[in-house]
Amino acid sequence: MLTSLEGKSVIVTGGSKGIGRGIATVFARQGAKVTITARGEEAMKKAASEIEGDVSYEICDVSDWDSVQAMVANVAAKQGGIDVMCANAGAFPQTKIVDMDPSEWDGVMATNLRSSFLCVKAAIPHFEKAGKGRVVLTSSITGPVTGFPGWAHYGASKSGQLGFLKTAAMELSRYNTTINAVMPGNIYTEGLQDLGQDYLDTMAASIPLKRLGAVEDIGNAALFFASDEAAYITGQQIVVDGGQIIPESLEAIEEI
Ligand code: NAP
């Protein structure tokens, strides 16, 4: 049993759908005051009304500094501070390098990597004021551990988050704040469904636990990093993938 997060102010970027919604659900269940953020208001409204607990929303484009600053300031004013920042929002358009317009590369970097920096930067004054804080990044196995055609930009952005993490852990330590990353495998989300049933089926077959992850599987890992019990863990990452990166070959998975 982890120490309660009752009443803590938690921001979950990309909380209107998928993994972010799962993280928000897990924290709200623990009694946290959760603010979900995204660009689309309708999906956020729906998520905020459907998730049980204290959940509100703020519109924010995580790739834009002014937008992130305004969102963090609004949440801090409304909730009396920021205790936990879950920088989760991300995008994964699939385009091979040969076909990729440089603007697509820049867009993915801005949404997935620049956003981690902006969310941490905006939250620092609030962690400093509180004398403590927690950051949880949503990275991926794709990039840091594995590759997949069409995701060179995505993989680079997700590896970049882990590079950012190491130095951020050192700099945030002076504010008694930890930063860690969850590296999901294939999690059943709206974004993943867009890749088609064939993708979902072949992925599930390549995972030792024989299923895609649930969004709460990632929420539970984020909750641990945000807990008092994880106070001495910083600059680290955990793979949550049902064992997907373990098999050496197709034969190995068929042997199970
Ligand atoms: P998703 O279902 O497509 O949801 C993405 C969320 O991010 C939505 O709430 C979306 O809302 C928001 N978002 C996207 N661009 C944004 C922007 N510029 N500013 C603010 N919010 C933005 O995606 P997901 O599958 O849950 O993925 C969430 C995170 O997990 C990403 O970082 C992804 O890289 C990572 N991940 C996912 C998987 C997986 O299997 N699903 C695996 C590994 C890692 P709006 O579009 O309305 O802004």
Side-chain angles (χ1 to χ4, degrees):
M1 185 76 174
L2 301 175
T3 306
S4 169
L5 273 102
E6 182 96 38
K8 300 277 187 203
S9 170
V10 178
I11 293 175
V12 184
T13 72
S16 62
K17 293 183 202 157
I19 289 176
R21 184 174 163 144
I23 296 172
T25 302
V26 168
F27 278 91
R29 212 179 272 153
Q30 298 296 316
K33 296 181 291 187
V34 179
T35 308
I36 57 174
T37 80
R39 293 164 302 175
E41 188 169 12
E42 279 316 304
M44 268 191 301
K45 243 189 213 166
K46 187 168 180 292
S49 68
E50 288 174 358
I51 299 171
E52 222 168 282
D54 186 343
V55 182
S56 52
Y57 70 84
E58 284 281 332
I59 294 171
C60 174
D61 179 344
V62 288
S63 65
D64 181 86
W65 177 225
D66 290 345
S67 183
V68 172
Q69 268 187 304
M71 177 274 287
V72 168
N74 289 345
V75 176
K78 192 177 64 183
Q79 307 289 28
I82 312 288
D83 297 301
V84 183
M85 168 64 79
C86 296
N88 162 82
F92 34 95
Q94 204 176 1
T95 311
K96 295 210 171 103
I97 297 164
V98 68
D99 300 320
M100 194 187 296
D101 192 274
S103 64
E104 182 175 324
W105 173 279
D106 293 343
V108 167
M109 288 296 158
T111 303
N112 296 358
L113 180 55
R114 184 174 200 260
S115 58
S116 298
F117 154 63
L118 298 183
C119 288
V120 167
K121 183 174 169 62
I124 283 176
H126 303 284
F127 297 147
E128 186 172 22
K129 197 169 162 201
K132 61 183 173 167
R134 288 281 194 279
V135 180
V136 183
L137 306 179
T138 306
S139 174
S140 178
I141 58 168
T142 310
V145 186
T146 64
F148 201 107
W151 280 328
H153 48 0
Y154 177 75
S157 71
K158 294 284 142 182
S159 292
Q161 285 182 295
L162 299 185
F164 169 74
L165 172 73
K166 303 298 173 193
T167 293
M170 296 183 69
E171 295 188 14
L172 290 177
S173 65
R174 75 181 292 161
Y175 313 110
N176 188 27
T177 292
T178 68
I179 176 167
N180 294 288
V182 182
M183 296 162 68
N186 279 266
I187 311 301
Y188 193 68
T189 65
E190 289 86 337
L192 215 69
Q193 285 167 50
D194 290 345
L195 301 174
Q197 197 56 45
D198 269 4
Y199 175 93
L200 300 177
D201 291 345
T202 52
M203 262 317 158
S206 73
I207 298 169
L209 287 179
K210 295 290 177 210
R211 66 169 175 92
L212 299 181
V215 292
E216 286 84 0
D217 290 325
I218 306 305
N220 288 327
L223 181 74
F224 171 65
F225 280 138
S227 70
D228 284 355
E229 284 71 14
Y232 203 54
I233 302 172
T234 194
Q236 300 305 309
Q237 59 262 354
I238 185 168
V239 171
V240 182
D241 73 341
Q244 185 176 347
I245 60 173
I246 296 172
E248 285 189 18
S249 67
L250 277 177
E251 196 188 4
I253 194 103
E254 283 160 12
E255 291 260 324
I256 297 175

